[in-house]
Amino acid sequence: MKQQLIDNLKKYGQEHLLKFYDSLNDAEKADLTSELEKIDFANLDKLIKTYVMSKPEMSIPDDLTPAPYFPMNPETAEQQKLYAEAEAEGKKLIAAGKVGCLTVAGGQGTRLGFDGPKGTYPIGPVSNNSLFSFFANSIARLQEKYNVKLYWYVMTSLLNREATEKFFAENNNFGLEKDQIFFFSQGTMPAIDYNGKILMNSKSTMALSPDGHGGTLLALRKSGALDHMKANGIDYLSYFQVDNPLVPVINPLFIGLHALEKSEMSAVMLAKTNAFEKLGNFCISKGRLEIIEYSDLPEKLATMTDEKGKLKFIAGSPAIHVISRNFIEQLTASGNLSLPCHRADKKVPFIDENGNLITPDKPNAVKLETFIFDALPLASATMVLECDRVNVFAPTKNPTGVDSVESCRMMIMERDAKRLEAAGVKIPRNPDGTLNAKIEISPRAAFDEEDVKNYVKAKNITAIAAESENYLD
Ligand code: UTP
């Protein structure tokens, strides 16, 4: 081991990481050394002092105003014209292969408590299809619609990369070609205990976790994904989270508006259902768009209403973005990107000074993460578009309750039922309006409302039987 590394560990009070070094075999020694060499200890030390040894007071800008956004439906003749042009532009860009899909799937999915990468979760209410398959089937259908090959960037973490790739291979890449799927891994951050020490989870490994979805931008550069995009003529990334099977993997209007408005990073917004809904809030400060987390928005602002009683800070974020490749290239040009860190107190298993593995029953460490939306204020131009929640957002965070597998499955079935109804199909409903049948449409068969109409016509479907199970594929 290089003396400089040993000196650094001593200088920054992390020499305990070598406590078991002499007892390791050669391979373990090499692994530990290589992991330690990846750490910028001077920078980490600053982060530990700022975010672990002290809890930074969240300073909320005092000039916050609600962010402007394009409404779901155009409100003026001028807007109507713009939306029509934007939709046409979006379709043109998709057909020209200028748009790639980006799924962030590097999270640990702790709340879901599922053994395996979250994207492999069988979310389909009738099909039991995985989250990944929803996106793959959507991509396959879009390729058919636009007669184009679409590329799919899938971000994993080092912890779930192998399992994710294995799942894709076992499923024959869901019918997509292998070379159109680009896997890449995000960075990691060590867990830090309350004394500012990096935790180890074995004698030769540190307790590492993914560095947050903010890590996506740098990982795109470091992995060669940006070069791959450039080589394949991709200018825009349609960004979405792995736990939202309802998301349209590419939204032509959203892409088109992003391009026509010359935005560098755009965002979908949903009208919040109440002042305290757990969605980040789109705000403007010093002329820049930013997201203030629900827990940080002062109550006075969160509850403020206009003369019609509508929330002023109405715009909530479902974490759906379009990001220009140029913007990511600029941000990461130096090979580094420092987004603000967010601190989370977690229970992290660790080994004590005798080498025994301890599983804590209360939070014992801090994990530091960066968030993708902190790139918004760095963009010279941004754009926010309101979308209909029913069509774009069904988060799968927990097994039951709010934002759960249960609620997500209901939302998928309800969205699909509504699309069938709009296409003239009679749907059985209970007196309270809830569905009295199980319904799921494969995005491979029908990606959007137009597709559903054509599907229904082609198959001559007029009604769904009560209490039946239907997978339309
Ligand atoms: P969440 O913040 O909901 O985290 O991620 P999670 O890891 O899925 O679940 P919990 O909090 O442990 O229960 C939102 C999205 O961002 C991705 C996740 O995979 C998910 O799609 N993500 C999160 C990453 O890709 N990397 C990260 O480091 C964190």
Side-chain angles (χ1 to χ4, degrees):
M1 178 173 290
K2 291 194 191 110
Q3 190 57 40
Q4 197 194 348
L5 181 55
I6 299 171
D7 292 346
N8 248 344
L9 290 170
K10 280 195 187 134
K11 179 168 170 195
Y12 294 109
Q14 304 291 355
E15 65 270 36
H16 63 284
L17 298 174
L18 299 181
K19 176 149 192 189
F20 304 102
Y21 189 80
D22 291 337
S23 68
L24 304 179
N25 64 35
D26 287 349
E28 290 168 334
K29 278 183 181 161
D31 282 350
L32 178 58
T33 307
S34 124
E35 285 305 309
L36 290 173
E37 277 171 353
K38 285 187 203 151
I39 297 181
D40 175 349
F41 280 98
N43 185 43
L44 182 64
D45 191 59
K46 270 193 224 142
L47 295 177
I48 292 175
K49 288 195 174 113
T50 316
Y51 294 101
V52 184
M53 303 314 285
S54 55
K55 272 195 194 173
E57 269 301 303
M58 176 69 197
S59 67
I60 297 293
D62 51 17
D63 66 338
L64 284 186
T65 52
Y69 58 86
F70 283 105
M72 191 168 10
N73 300 307
E75 286 169 354
T76 59
E78 198 189 332
Q79 235 170 28
Q80 210 162 7
K81 186 163 164 273
L82 174 67
Y83 280 35
E85 279 168 13
E87 180 137 4
E89 178 67 13
K91 288 181 174 168
K92 203 171 97 194
L93 291 169
I94 300 167
K98 299 273 173 208
V99 187
C101 297
L102 166 59
T103 308
V104 289
Q108 292 180 296
T110 356
R111 284 169 286 172
L112 191 58
F114 172 63
D115 188 19
K118 213 189 217 181
T120 67
Y121 191 90
I123 195 68
V126 182
S127 67
N128 266 319
N129 277 351
S130 64
L131 285 156
F132 281 131
S133 92
F134 269 73
F135 310 131
N137 283 329
S138 302
I139 290 171
R141 174 64 195 133
L142 282 175
Q143 297 195 125
E144 200 171 60
K145 261 172 107 75
Y146 290 92
N147 191 23
V148 66
K149 178 169 177 175
L150 294 171
Y151 287 92
W152 184 14
Y153 298 88
V154 180
M155 186 174 81
T156 65
S157 75
L158 289 172
L159 312 169
N160 67 9
R161 169 89 178 246
E162 208 180 307
T164 302
E165 288 203 49
K166 187 161 166 261
F167 187 74
F168 272 71
E170 280 165 6
N171 286 281
N172 203 15
N173 296 313
F174 310 98
L176 297 175
E177 285 167 37
K178 199 166 186 291
D179 78 345
Q180 70 189 110
I181 306 169
F182 189 108
F183 294 101
F184 66 107
S185 299
Q186 64 180 116
T188 48
M189 278 292 276
I192 314 290
D193 75 8
Y194 294 134
N195 297 314
K197 305 285 178 199
I198 295 174
L199 289 178
M200 299 199 79
N201 59 5
S202 80
K203 289 180 181 176
S204 61
T205 53
M206 288 175 283
L208 298 173
S209 51
D211 59 359
H213 40 63
T216 311
L217 299 168
L218 201 54
L220 280 166
R221 172 171 288 277
K222 287 192 174 170
S223 65
L226 281 183
D227 294 337
H228 180 273
M229 283 175 69
K230 197 170 179 183
N232 288 285
I234 298 168
D235 294 335
Y236 307 101
L237 278 175
S238 174
Y239 169 106
F240 50 89
Q241 302 192 149
V242 75
D243 50 16
N244 180 16
L246 222 47
V247 72
V249 293
I250 302 182
N251 173 341
L253 173 65
F254 188 34
I255 292 283
L257 272 178
H258 173 90
L260 293 186
E261 293 293 303
K262 304 208 172 356
S263 170
E264 290 188 321
M265 179 164 175
S266 299
V268 162
M269 87 80 153
L270 306 178
K272 288 194 301 177
T273 50
N274 65 74
F276 304 108
E277 188 181 356
K278 292 183 173 177
L279 293 178
N281 294 278
F282 288 104
C283 303
I284 298 286
S285 169
K286 299 186 185 58
R288 297 274 169 160
L289 179 67
E290 62 177 89
I291 289 187
I292 303 284
E293 284 190 87
Y294 64 89
S295 47
D296 294 328
L297 188 70
E299 188 173 334
K300 195 165 139 259
L301 298 187
T303 53
M304 210 183 260
T305 52
D306 65 12
E307 56 292 346
K308 288 188 190 141
K310 182 175 159 188
L311 289 175
K312 282 199 169 173
F313 288 85
I314 185 87
S317 172
I320 303 169
H321 300 286
V322 172
I323 316 175
S324 292
R325 173 170 53 82
N326 279 342
F327 176 55
I328 309 173
E329 279 173 350
Q330 278 164 29
L331 277 185
T332 61
S334 70
N336 253 316
L337 174 64
S338 81
L339 293 173
C341 270
H342 297 257
R343 166 193 170 124
D345 291 70
K346 301 268 178 176
K347 290 183 250 180
V348 179
F350 65 101
I351 55 160
D352 65 12
E353 63 246 31
N354 301 317
N356 300 317
L357 187 68
I358 312 285
T359 305
D361 51 14
K362 57 179 199 296
N364 61 321
V366 170
K367 284 188 181 177
L368 296 174
E369 293 192 339
T370 60
F371 294 162
I372 190 92
F373 58 69
D374 282 323
L376 283 169
L378 307 177
S380 62
T382 53
M383 188 278 292
V384 182
L385 172 67
E386 180 180 20
C387 285
D388 185 356
R389 182 183 291 258
V390 173
N391 284 325
V392 304
F393 192 49
T396 316
K397 303 289 181 193
N398 308 296
T400 54
V402 178
D403 294 344
S404 67
V405 169
E406 275 174 359
S407 62
C408 178
R409 286 183 175 148
M410 291 306 295
M411 287 188 237
I412 292 171
M413 293 198 289
E414 192 52 57
R415 194 264 322 253
D416 290 349
K418 284 218 169 75
R419 285 183 168 177
L420 289 170
E421 278 169 335
V425 178
K426 178 126 189 45
I427 299 292
R429 291 193 178 269
N430 299 309
D432 64 357
T434 54
L435 289 175
N436 184 19
K438 287 181 104 183
I439 299 168
E440 180 187 340
I441 305 176
S442 164
R444 180 71 188 85
F447 173 75
D448 52 22
E449 281 159 35
E450 181 196 29
D451 276 0
V452 174
K453 287 199 175 121
N454 292 334
Y455 181 94
V456 161
K457 215 163 141 195
K459 303 253 171 180
N460 200 13
I461 304 171
T462 52
I464 297 287
E467 291 172 18
S468 59
E469 277 209 9
N470 308 270
Y471 182 55
L472 283 64
D473 64 349

